[in-house]
């Protein structure tokens, strides 16, 4: 089995109120040296077979249509190899 | 005239929307998220709520429900479609309307009687109003902050496609105080506030300011039938 990981983040120009709130908590709890926080989503997708080009292309399609909304979000995708 | 109201798992305001349709003089037709067709309705309302728990993104999974394929096709063909709150989010997710909703800027669920300005009174759902008219309808959401890139916002303003703006206080950080938008043809309208909760004097904010959405669409359909 192979695993494909998709990370989804709000585009840099889109306000991230949740990230800002987390940043506020950093400050309140005394975690120093933090300039900003952005919050995103991580999807770990287990494939039934190998992560060949076709299988990855299929997940890529899901990432761009289902897992992210291209109006407000960007995604990155990588295949995780077993350690 | 038959106005369909879609129920998704997690819809909350479908019954209120159907009631508003009836009070305006239309026949409300229940549509189910798994329906493959629209049962011959003349227009569709996507109601408020938390469809599929708003998992992934508000309105995202509902946007891919079987019934939405039929709604998207019908909307592209000119059928009037109104998205209220979660329904607006669904319309943005299907890209029938531009932009998207993110978490409210102050991260709180907002529930209040909300003054709005009707910016475009030429759509299928707003023709009963005067341009610039101030109406008060309930607002209740946590993912209500309307965002789009600057180019899209400028285009919406230039084409008169900002249908509603928050009047006075902006409750959720929506860019340019946008409360609702329309597509270029004016048949698809979405807004975060809830006109269907302001159709009887005894409930909601005590106004019937929301009834005009439903009388507008009945008139629109009549006009389409005559044409």
């Amino acid at each position: 089995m192979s695993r494909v990981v998709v990370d989804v983040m709000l585009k840099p120009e889109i306000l991230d109120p949740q990230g800002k709130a987390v940043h506020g908590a950093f400050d309140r709890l005394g975690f120093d040296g933090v300039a900003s926080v952005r919050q995103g989503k991580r999807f770990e997708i287990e494939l039934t077979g190998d992560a060949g080009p076709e299988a990855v292309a299929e997940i890529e399609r899901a990432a761009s249509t289902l897992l992210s909304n291209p109006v407000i979000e960007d995604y990155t995708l990588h295949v995780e190899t077993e350690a | 005239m038959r106005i369909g109201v879609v129920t998704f798992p997690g819809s909350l305001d479908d019954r209120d929307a159907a009631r508003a349709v009836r009070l305006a003089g239309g026949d409300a037709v229940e549509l189910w998220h798994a329906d493959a067709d629209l049962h011959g309705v003349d227009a569709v309302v996507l109601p408020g709520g938390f469809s599929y728990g708003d998992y992934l993104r508000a309105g995202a999974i509902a946007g891919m429900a079987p019934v939405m394929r039929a709604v998207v096709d019908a909307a592209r063909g000119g059928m009037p479609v109104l998205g209220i709150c979660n329904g607006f989010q669904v319309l943005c997710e299907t890209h029938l309307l531009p932009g998207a909703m993110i978490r409210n800027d102050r991260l709180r669920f907002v529930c209040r009687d909300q003054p709005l300005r009707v910016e475009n009174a030429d759509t299928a759902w707003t023709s009963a109003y005067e341009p610039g008219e101030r109406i008060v309808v309930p607002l209740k959401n946590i993912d209500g902050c309307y965002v789009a890139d600057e180019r899209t916002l400028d285009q919406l303003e230039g084409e008169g496609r900002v249908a509603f703006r928050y009047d006075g206080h902006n409750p959720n950080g929506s860019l340019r105080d946008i409360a609702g938008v329309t597509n270029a043809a004016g048949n698809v309208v979405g807004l975060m506030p809830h006109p269907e909760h302001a159709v009887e004097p005894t409930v909601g904010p005590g106004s019937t300011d929301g009834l005009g959405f439903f009388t507008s669409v009945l008139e629109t359909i009549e006009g389409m039938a005559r044409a």
Side-chain angles (χ1 to χ4, degrees), chain A residues 10 13-18 20-21 41 43 65-73, chain B residues 56-57 60-61 64 92-93 95 99-105 107 145 147-149:
Chain A
L10 281 172
E13 66 271 24
I14 302 287
L15 174 79
D16 177 13
Q18 295 180 104
K20 269 174 69 179
K41 297 187 189 107
F43 300 89
T65 54
L66 171 68
L67 300 181
S68 70
N69 176 347
V71 175
I72 49 170
E73 293 167 324
Chain B
L56 196 59
R57 295 176 303 278
I61 298 177
M64 294 171 195
C92 288
E93 280 287 338
H95 308 302
M101 254 65 63
I102 62 167
R103 189 69 29 127
N104 292 344
D105 60 346
L107 294 172
C145 177
V147 296
D149 59 41

Side-chain angles (χ1 to χ4, degrees), chain A residues 5-83:
Chain A
V5 175
V6 176
D7 288 298
V8 176
M9 293 298 295
L10 281 172
K11 288 179 191 287
E13 66 271 24
I14 302 287
L15 174 79
D16 177 13
Q18 295 180 104
K20 269 174 69 179
V22 173
H23 190 195
F26 269 71
D27 290 344
R28 280 196 302 283
L29 296 171
F31 296 112
D32 289 333
V34 177
S36 78
V37 179
R38 306 275 295 169
Q39 180 178 318
K41 297 187 189 107
R42 173 185 164 101
F43 300 89
E44 299 181 344
I45 300 149
E46 305 284 346
L47 302 182
T48 50
D50 287 337
E54 270 178 33
V56 172
E58 188 76 354
I59 300 302
E60 182 103 35
R61 215 164 54 79
S64 62
T65 54
L66 171 68
L67 300 181
S68 70
N69 176 347
V71 175
I72 49 170
E73 293 167 324
D74 295 321
Y75 70 89
T76 57
L77 177 154
H78 70 271
V79 177
E80 259 185 15
T81 44
E82 278 173 53

Side-chain angles (χ1 to χ4, degrees), chain B residues 134-148:
Chain B
R134 185 178 183 274
I135 61 173
V136 177
V137 302
L139 174 79
K140 42 168 197 157
N141 63 65
I142 189 161
D143 290 313
C145 177
Y146 182 80
V147 296

Side-chain angles (χ1 to χ4, degrees), chain B residues 47-81:
Chain B
F50 296 87
S51 54
Y52 300 90
D54 273 353
Y55 295 150
L56 196 59
R57 295 176 303 278
I61 298 177
M64 294 171 195
V67 75
M68 283 309 299
R69 248 175 262 167
V71 170
V72 169
D73 284 348
R76 294 212 171 111
M79 179 185 281
V81 176

